[in-house]
Structure formats: C-alpha cells, structure tokens
Amino acid sequence: MVNDTVLRLIADFQAKKINRRQLVQGAAAAGVSASALTALVGPSATPAAAQAGGAIQLGRESEFAANFNAFKISTGGQTQVMDLIFGRLLKLDNNNTLIGDLAESFEISPDASVYTFKIREGVTWHDGTPFTIDDVIFTYRAALTEEAGAGAAGKLRQIKGGTAFYNKESDEIEGLERVDDTTLRITLEGPNIAFLIGTAGSNSLLWIQPQHILGDVPLADWATAEAIQRPVVGTGPYQFVEHVADSHVEFKANPNFYLGAPKTEQVFLRLAEPATQLAQLESGEIHMASRLPAREAERLATSDVVEILYNPGNGIFQTAVHTPRVPDKRVRQAMMYGTDRQALLDAVLLGQGELVFSSVIGPDWAIPTGLNTYDYNPDRARELLAEAEWDSEQTLQLTWSRGFVNVELAAPVFQQQMAEIGLKIELFPQESAAYLDAVITNPNFDMAWFGGGSYRMDPDVTANYYLCDRFTPGGGNTTHYCNEELDALLIEGRSLADPELRAPIYQQVAEILNEDVPTLFWWSDNQIFGKNKQLQGVLQGPNQYIWWNIHEWELV
Amino acid sequence: MGQYALRRIAISVPVLLVVTVIAFALVNLAPGNPVDAMIDPATRAEMGPEAIEARKAALGLNDPLLVRYGKWLREILQGNFGYSAVSGQSIGEQILDRIGPTLMLMGTAITLGTLIGIPLGILSAVRQYSWLDYATTVFGFLAISTPSFFLGLAFMYFFAVHLGWLPTSGMRTLGVEESTIDLIKHMIMPVTVLTLAHTPLSMRYARSSMLEALRQDYVTTARSKGLRERIVLVRHALRNALIPLITVIGVSLPELLGGAVITETIFQWPGMGMLAMRAVNGRDYPLILGIILVTAALVLISNLIADLLYAVADPRIRFR
C-alpha cells in the first residue's frame, strides 16, 4: 500500500533531494517493498527507448495550471494530462462514439434512465494495487460530496438519491448500485441521455480515482494533497513522472496498461505560446500542435517535416442575438440573408469549415435535412427588414472577447454587409472578463459573437443553450429565446436512448432554430492539427481529445 | 551614515504598505475573477450556476473587499503568501522556484549589457562625433526601439527553424540527460534579446555622464597640469562619471529577479516573468499580489542600495 509518506519520498527522489538508497529505506520503513517502488518510479537504469528521439513531445498552449484534481479540471491541457494518467468508465473514440474504458461494456435502458456498466477485470493501478468497482463507487460518492466542489456535481445529482446525499440528508445514494463485483448500475431520477455525454471535463464520466491513496484524505484538503499535486497512481496508459510549472509534464509508459504496454516509452507535454509552437513544430522539437490557424497550416503543408490534419470540429462559430432586444425573427432572418457566409468562411478560414444552419450538427444520425440555407440574398434581406418595419437609425452593438482572431476578421465584413441592407451595427470588442460579465453574468448586450461548444457530440448539447429555464446567468441560454414547443421537443429528445427514435425529434428542433434563428449560425470550423510525419497511430475524426488512443502512437 | 540608512529604511515600510493597498484594490477591482477565468463558457453552460457559486465561496471571493484585504495582510505579516487560487500550490514555493531561472537569465543579460555598454559609451564620449560615436548611437537606438517579441520570434525562425542551430525554447532538451552545454544553447537566444535591450541603456548613460565629466573644471585643471591624456581620462574623468551609473544599475536590479515577461513567455523560460503572465491571465489574485509584493520590495531594496552606494561614493549626499 502506498501512502502520502511514500509519495513524498518519491517526490524528493525525483527532485534529486534524496538518493535511491534513501528512498528504498524510507519506503521500507513505511511498509513498501522495493519491487512495488520500482513499479512506481521505474528501474534504476534509464530504458533504451527513453533516449533522445524516442519520446513523443506534444505541444500545448500555456493555458495550463498545475491542478490535477479530477473534479476540478477545466482546461484542455489539464484534460490531456488526466486522460493519460487516469481512466473513466467510458471514453470517446475518434468518431465521438462512446466506447468502454474502465467499464468493459455498458447498457442504457430504452427510456435513458438506467445505465448498467460492466467493470473491466484485471486492471491494476500504477502501484500494482488491483483496480475494483469500489474505486468507482468511491469516486462517484466523493464527487457528490459538497466539499469536493466537483464541476460534475450538478449532473451527478440527477442520480436517484444524489441530491439527498449532496445535502447530507442521507448516507446512501440509492441510484448508485453495486449489483455484484463487476456490475455497477446507475439509476437516474428521470430519463436523461445527456447524463453520459457533454464536455469531457464536467460530464458524469469522471476520472476514476484510487481509493487506497485518496480514501483517507479529507475532501476539503484535496487541493493541497500530495496525490493531487503529483498524481503518480492512476490506471491510464501513462504514469505521471513530473510537472515543471510553465515548462512541461513528463510521463512514462504504464507497462501494465489494460490494452497492452504503450508503444512509446516516454511522453512530454510541452507548454508554449502558439507562435513558439509553430517554430517548434517546424524544427521538429514537438510532434504535434493543435489549433493551428488555417493560414499557418497552409504554409506548413509544404514542409518536409510536418503533416497537417484537418478534422471536423465540434463547435459552432455563431452570433447570439439577445432576443428581447431584437424580438422580430424577420430581422434576424434578414441578417442571415444579408451575409455572404461562404465568402466569409473562405476569407477567414480559407474554407476550413462547413456552413451550418442550426445548432444540430451531429453525430451522423442526427444531421437534419432540408433546412433553409439562407443563401446570400441582400434583396430578400431588405424586404424582410421592411416587413418588420426596422428603424434604419437604430444601432445594434456587436460584442466579442477581444483577441478572438476569427471574429476580428469577420466582424467588419459583417458590419459592412449589414450596412448595405440598412442595418446599423456598432463593433464593440471587450476584454475577456468584461465580455463575460456583459454576456453571461449580467446580461446586457445586443449581439455577441463566439465559438466553441460540443454540438457535434450529441444533439442534446443544444438544449443547454435554448431551454427556457436555462437563461443566463443561471444556464447557458445567452439569447434568452424561449419557445415552449422547442422545450417539449428537447425534453422528449433526451428521454430516449435509441438514435432512430431521437432523430425525427431533432429534425424538428433543427427546423425551429433554423426558422427562428435566435442565433446567427455561421459555420463549424475544422480543428487543424500539425503533426510530425514521424508520428504514427493518430486517428482522424471530430474528437477533439485526439490522444484517446495514445498508447498506439509511436515515432517511426 | 548609519542614521541615514535607518531613515531610508524607515521610509520604505509605509511605502510598501501603500503599494499593497493600491495593488490589492486594483487587482480586485479589475473585471473578472479566478473562477470565471478558469472555466470556459461552454463548460460553464453545462456545469450549472450552483457549482460555480460554490467555487467562488470556497475561494472567499464573496467576502467584502476590506475583509479580504485584512485577511490577506494578516497572513502576509506572518510570512504566508497563501496558495494560488487556480492551482492550489503554495505561492512562496512557486516564486522561489522561479527565482533561479530568472536570475540566471537576467543576471547574464544585465552583466553582459553593462560590460558591453559602459565601455562603448565611454569610448563614444571620448571620441565624440567620430564614426564610432555615430555607429554606437545608431545601434543603440535601433536596439532599444526593436520590440523584444519581434526580435525573439525573428531569431527563433532564423536560428532554430531555418538554420537549426539552436533549440527554439525552454531551459533544456526534454528526454535527454541535463547538461551545461544544453543549457547554454537554450540561453543564447533569450540572453541575446535581453542583452540587446539592456546594452543601449548603460551605453547612453555612460556616454552622457562621461561627457559631462569631461566638461568639468577639474579635468581642464588636470590637463593644464600637463598630465597625460590617459591619466586625465581614467583617473579624473572616468571615476566621477561612474557615480551616476550606480543609478542605472540600481534601476536594473529589480529586473534581475522580476524577470522579463515577454521574452520569458516567447522562449518559454520558466521564470518570474512567465509566472506573472500566467497569474494575470488566470486572474489568480493571491499569486498576482504575491508577485507584486516581491517586486515592490525588490524595487525598494534596490533603490535603498543605490542610495547607500551613492552616499558612499559622494560624501555630500549624506549631509543633505
């Protein structure tokens, strides 16, 4: 068994404060054998594969904070670290399909309220301790405890008895059931397919934590606990070695990974500014960079070293209209007709994206057909404005978070095209915190331009942005658009498990949004990755967590 | 002398206190907070408001400003800088971790800049209006007016990507044993950028203060006594010209530990500058305040040292 004392010794050893002999003696005093230690810190000699050139180096923007608390992960960088070290019950493959991870398989009841997981057998933690269903139950119970401050708590409270447990009215969570040693059944208060999906950081699929390490640490102390600052015991393909703030995180292969030892012995996640990353990619110092600007990608495509991957994105580039300020849908439709969106897409992203006509854009079974594509038609736009008796003297203010390059390129063109149809737009970029305040915390804006979201993962993601009871600041409905018919459809759509039954519902959802355009839908931008040609095993698809199969990546 | 030093130190304490009040107010009045900065809007929409409020409450962000200042000051007085609102790491430790790399980078750059700048400045003063004077002046203005982010990226493209001679960034090559040669290779570009920014500063100061010294009566006297020009320059003019340079070096000292935000960020040098950048971007109040406090203390200490050295070099100051 490994405890905090031993973890601290390992930290000292890796920071070169003590030598190997002191480490082994100290650990023996704490009851940990030398062989268990080797599993944790690796053999004394550096393995051959760890020599120069053998390690995969991945670039990351400096959006990174040293917070490895599984319940409080909020950035892409943290998610990547956690995904390498820990497992979840399920994960997404490159096509955004849920596949087994620490659960070997799963079943969903037809009304999407009961989820049965078959826990994988034979998995061990990085320190050799067997992984069991108890670790899963421990993690879910901890996340549902108020002191943990878990981002997923809101979602987990849908579990039957979850709210009572959260409010300390009960010691048990009725809907979290251990059927036998390998079967976990989760029952929700009501049907909701959204329980399983959503953005990876805050959904119900938590990174499963080791009970034998964290079980004794009070939840309020997790932030400063050694095992959170240095998460050396996980179940993932890679083991945590060290984190050097503002520099890198080092990982080494977990030889006992349940899908077989990873093909590459060592991985570094390096932090650098986007401009620096481009240089590193070109010089071969990193093997992958994400979120490349389209123009840079085009330039790099001619390089001998770099290969560019264009993957469909999950987000939507869109302009939310605060509907109480622009209640007439004809005005919003006029804005759609009045903009040459394909030309804008070509200019801003060199065509690297696809036009969208509602927020229902995937997965494949949910893609709607026959929507109005609002082809560029300034005459129609003028007609609609005339019908709506729009006052051409009225000015609408368009805000965005300063520094969002794509908006900065697109907004002046939009402003120009709106002027041509007789609609005055004032551009009002704001510093990110001020923007967040004006758009979400204390809504006071006419139009707001933003991107992102995980719409392609499941059509239910749309519900977060348009349900009547999800108005900002409480929810994600920035437009304050409310349509009872749409609400009913969205609720029905999430209470069914079968895609075939859900598809027609979301067709109707898409039609309503396409007609009412509370949000001007522009496009879904491609995710552009730059990859060193030596790096093999990367699979393309819309999953932004492209490292989901990192155990198969290698340099050849 | 002792009394003078004591008086200067006594003045520094209230100054530092005023700095904490202003810094605390400014940092907290700026829009945004660590919780909002941490969570991207898409995740936020799916998390729900309770989870966000709970996090704000846990960080004490809902207390009144004055209460927060009081709590913070009490901890600071006990030598506790607190924990980062974003990562939960101890701020004292984080700052200590960064001082080494920054000292290495800035120390080299400031030393080189001073060692190159002062002789060049003196030479160009002695040979005023010569081609050397014009050349150094042009170089000085070019170097000081080129933004460091541009120079940094240009170097990176030329020496790392195009020629492949140097690594782009970081402090060491990951995945190989640490070595001094590797470290030096990583230092070349950032040190050059910073040296280029620092050299003109000491050069221009050295030039003007040497010019002024050369115009003094005692130099004329020395010359009229028939002393050799070398002795006049070195013993009479240079000695006196160096006194104002104490100020220049004194002003550079805080930078030595405070780091260079832009250069460090571009070259991914894990020093104080990058820490500050990350703290501000993440609205990490305790960390920002910790850094401001340390930097303010450094400025005061450096000024103090400069003033004391001045007093040593120029006895007139002590009696004012």
Side-chain angles (χ1 to χ4, degrees):
Chain A
M1 286 294 136
V2 176
N3 53 29
D4 246 29
T5 324
V6 176
L7 292 177
R8 200 154 288 139
L9 280 170
I10 293 170
D12 286 349
F13 169 68
Q14 277 158 348
K16 300 199 170 76
K17 282 183 205 155
I18 58 171
N19 64 27
R20 199 169 187 92
R21 181 180 298 164
Q22 286 168 315
L23 168 70
V24 174
Q25 284 168 350
V32 172
S33 71
S35 58
L37 260 185
T38 304
L40 278 174
V41 296
S44 31
T46 322
Q51 295 304 318
I56 293 179
Q57 315 244 5
L58 304 170
R60 255 289 158 197
E61 270 175 65
S62 327
E63 49 155 26
F64 195 87
N67 174 342
F68 306 117
N69 182 342
F71 301 149
K72 293 188 175 177
I73 297 302
S74 44
T75 71
Q78 294 170 328
T79 304
Q80 188 165 8
V81 172
M82 296 304 280
D83 274 349
L84 263 59
I85 304 172
F86 294 99
R88 307 166 184 248
L89 285 177
L90 308 174
K91 64 179 176 183
L92 296 167
D93 72 2
N94 50 314
N95 292 317
N96 280 343
T97 309
L98 280 171
I99 56 171
D101 189 10
L102 288 176
E104 205 169 77
S105 61
F106 66 106
E107 265 173 47
I108 307 176
S109 69
D111 72 343
S113 66
V114 182
Y115 300 77
T116 312
F117 299 93
K118 183 95 186 132
I119 305 297
R120 199 180 287 274
E121 289 175 84
V123 177
T124 56
W125 292 97
H126 293 156
D127 61 358
T129 310
F131 156 80
T132 69
I133 192 170
D134 294 328
D135 292 308
V136 181
I137 291 172
F138 161 72
T139 305
Y140 276 76
R141 284 177 64 101
L144 256 173
T145 306
E146 192 183 357
E147 290 75 21
K155 244 178 185 171
L156 293 176
R157 282 163 66 178
Q158 302 170 51
I159 299 177
K160 205 172 234 173
T163 304
F165 180 81
Y166 186 85
N167 295 336
K168 309 240 183 321
E169 290 152 12
S170 155
D171 277 345
E172 290 307 316
I173 306 169
E174 199 190 328
L176 186 69
E177 240 177 305
R178 178 197 172 121
V179 179
D180 58 44
D181 283 354
T182 58
T183 313
L184 177 76
R185 186 156 58 212
I186 294 182
T187 310
L188 305 186
E189 295 278 3
N192 188 358
I193 191 73
F195 182 69
L196 278 192
I197 43 202
T199 46
S202 68
N203 73 359
S204 59
L205 298 171
L206 306 161
W207 286 281
I208 305 302
Q209 298 295 299
Q211 184 176 20
H212 66 287
I213 304 272
L214 284 165
D216 298 333
V217 181
L219 279 159
D221 298 344
W222 273 34
T224 48
E226 185 70 22
I228 296 288
Q229 300 277 334
R230 301 181 30 79
V232 291
V233 180
T235 51
Y238 283 90
Q239 277 178 263
F240 177 92
V241 176
E242 67 166 347
H243 165 247
V244 178
D246 284 338
S247 172
H248 65 272
V249 186
E250 181 182 344
F251 305 89
K252 65 183 167 81
N254 165 18
N256 302 318
F257 184 52
Y258 68 84
L259 290 174
K263 289 186 175 172
T264 304
E265 184 61 33
Q266 212 177 9
V267 170
F268 288 96
L269 195 60
R270 294 175 62 153
L271 310 172
E273 286 296 297
T276 310
Q277 274 191 51
L278 286 172
Q280 291 175 326
L281 189 64
E282 239 182 315
S283 69
E285 284 166 276
I286 58 174
H287 300 110
M288 186 177 278
S290 47
R291 289 199 239 165
L292 296 194
R295 248 160 252 284
E296 295 292 347
E298 197 172 67
R299 184 179 66 77
L300 284 173
T302 57
S303 144
D304 299 334
V305 190
V306 184
E307 181 188 336
I308 304 290
L309 307 180
Y310 294 103
N311 289 349
N314 293 298
I316 294 179
F317 193 59
Q318 52 186 318
T319 311
V321 182
H322 201 51
T323 52
R325 305 262 177 101
V326 189
D328 194 325
K329 73 178 178 192
R330 288 172 295 190
V331 178
R332 305 192 297 261
Q333 290 169 339
M335 293 180 190
M336 290 291 279
Y337 278 119
T339 322
D340 189 347
R341 294 178 304 143
Q342 186 62 49
L344 205 57
L345 173 60
D346 291 343
V348 173
L349 285 180
L350 304 178
Q352 285 302 332
E354 81 178 296
L355 293 184
V356 300
F357 313 103
S358 79
S359 61
V360 180
I361 60 169
D364 290 346
W365 58 262
I367 293 174
T369 53
L371 298 182
N372 183 352
T373 55
Y374 290 99
D375 295 337
Y376 183 46
N377 189 345
D379 294 332
R380 178 82 188 112
R382 281 187 209 101
E383 267 171 47
L384 283 164
L385 284 182
E387 279 171 33
E389 291 174 2
W390 179 258
D391 172 10
S392 62
E393 288 309 302
Q394 192 186 338
T395 303
L396 291 175
Q397 205 177 51
L398 170 61
T399 187
W400 68 86
S401 175
R402 192 188 289 280
F404 190 166
V405 178
N406 291 349
V407 180
E408 262 148 32
L409 292 170
V413 180
F414 176 68
Q415 183 189 33
Q416 171 82 34
Q417 292 187 330
M418 288 302 102
E420 281 163 22
I421 62 167
L423 205 150
K424 272 193 194 160
I425 300 283
E426 183 197 342
L427 304 184
F428 185 57
Q430 300 184 72
E431 196 270 332
S432 66
Y435 164 85
L436 205 60
D437 189 63
V439 177
I440 294 178
T441 322
N442 297 300
N444 177 21
F445 69 102
D446 298 335
M447 299 170 77
W449 207 324
F450 51 87
S454 49
Y455 300 91
R456 204 182 293 275
M457 290 187 186
D458 191 278
D460 181 68
V461 172
T462 288
N464 294 309
Y465 300 95
Y466 296 105
L467 283 178
C468 295
D469 66 354
R470 298 283 296 167
F471 279 13
T472 47
N477 187 343
T478 38
T479 58
H480 287 201
Y481 167 81
C482 175
N483 178 335
E484 279 165 20
E485 189 193 349
L486 181 74
D487 264 32
L489 287 166
L490 287 170
I491 302 291
E492 193 188 348
R494 60 164 56 155
S495 53
L496 294 167
D498 184 356
E500 271 186 39
L501 297 175
R502 297 178 73 202
I505 294 169
Y506 288 106
Q507 170 73 30
Q508 292 181 60
V509 167
E511 282 165 9
I512 292 174
L513 290 172
N514 181 249
E515 167 73 15
D516 286 1
V517 279
T519 297
L520 312 180
F521 302 107
W522 306 112
W523 58 70
S524 171
D525 0 5
N526 287 343
Q527 314 176 54
I528 310 179
F529 294 90
K531 177 181 90 59
N532 191 293
K533 285 183 176 163
Q534 284 184 311
L535 180 62
Q536 300 295 318
V538 180
L539 294 179
Q540 288 193 258
N543 186 358
Q544 56 182 315
Y545 307 118
I546 195 168
W547 54 82
W548 70 277
N549 68 336
I550 193 164
H551 63 285
E552 293 175 338
W553 291 9
E554 60 184 329
L555 296 172
V556 290
Chain B
M1 185 69 198
Q3 210 190 358
Y4 173 74
L6 276 181
R7 207 169 61 217
R8 291 288 291 108
I9 294 170
I11 295 173
S12 302
V13 175
V15 171
L16 205 55
L17 200 67
V18 171
V19 169
T20 66
V21 172
I22 297 176
F24 196 89
L26 282 181
V27 166
N28 281 282
L29 291 176
N33 63 65
V35 174
D36 286 342
M38 234 186 297
I39 301 164
D40 71 273
T43 310
R44 188 194 171 88
E46 294 164 30
M47 259 174 76
E50 303 94 353
I52 288 170
E53 274 314 306
R55 273 205 212 177
K56 284 189 185 164
L59 288 173
L61 292 174
N62 296 338
D63 290 341
L65 196 60
L66 217 59
V67 173
R68 279 190 276 159
Y69 178 73
K71 282 186 188 167
W72 179 76
L73 195 65
R74 197 180 57 210
E75 291 301 313
I76 291 291
L77 290 177
Q78 293 167 2
N80 177 12
F81 282 81
Y83 294 89
S84 156
V86 177
S87 67
Q89 282 178 307
S90 146
I91 287 168
E93 267 176 39
Q94 288 194 66
I95 291 179
L96 274 181
D97 277 352
R98 304 315 177 84
I99 284 183
T102 289
L103 202 61
M104 192 190 297
L105 187 72
M106 300 306 297
T108 316
I110 291 177
T111 310
L112 282 177
T114 311
L115 288 183
I116 299 171
I118 291 183
L120 273 181
I122 288 168
L123 267 180
S124 63
V126 173
R127 309 234 172 99
Q128 202 185 4
Y129 305 131
S130 68
W131 66 266
L132 179 87
D133 187 23
Y134 289 126
T136 55
T137 303
V138 169
F139 156 79
F141 281 111
L142 268 182
I144 213 161
S145 41
T146 313
S148 54
F149 73 87
F150 171 78
L151 206 59
L153 287 177
F155 276 15
M156 204 185 280
Y157 262 90
F158 194 68
F159 294 107
V161 177
H162 191 67
L163 295 173
W165 290 351
L166 295 170
T168 50
S169 60
M171 254 182 96
R172 65 183 185 95
T173 309
L174 300 176
V176 299
E177 287 288 309
E178 283 181 59
S179 74
T180 316
I181 293 184
D182 188 49
L183 178 66
I184 291 173
K185 276 188 176 174
H186 281 86
M187 278 178 76
I188 292 178
M189 285 199 292
V191 163
T192 311
V193 168
L194 290 168
T195 306
L196 280 175
H198 196 79
T199 306
L201 212 68
S202 44
M203 193 176 81
R204 297 304 293 175
Y205 271 103
R207 181 179 180 273
S208 59
S209 99
M210 186 70 180
L211 278 177
E212 186 163 334
L214 285 172
R215 272 187 233 115
Q216 298 295 322
D217 291 344
Y218 54 78
V219 172
T220 318
T221 312
R223 282 202 178 115
S224 59
K225 279 197 296 188
L227 289 178
R228 268 181 299 156
E229 186 64 12
R230 249 183 71 128
I231 296 193
V232 173
L233 287 181
V234 175
R235 205 173 286 168
H236 294 260
L238 184 57
R239 269 200 174 179
N240 287 292
L242 286 181
I243 296 176
L245 286 175
I246 293 175
T247 317
V248 185
I249 297 171
V251 168
S252 313
L253 280 182
E255 239 182 285
L256 198 63
L257 295 175
V261 173
I262 294 170
T263 312
E264 284 186 4
T265 306
I266 285 179
F267 288 104
Q268 212 61 29
W269 191 269
M272 291 284 279
M274 265 194 73
L275 187 68
M277 182 81 173
R278 186 157 57 77
V280 172
N281 278 342
R283 298 288 186 286
D284 194 340
Y285 298 154
L287 187 52
I288 299 174
L289 288 168
I291 294 170
I292 292 179
L293 197 62
V294 169
T295 315
L298 285 171
V299 171
L300 289 174
I301 292 170
S302 310
N303 286 350
L304 189 65
I305 293 175
D307 283 353
L308 294 181
L309 284 179
Y310 237 95
V312 172
D314 188 348
R316 286 170 299 181
I317 291 171
R318 267 174 269 167
F319 301 107
R320 255 179 227 159

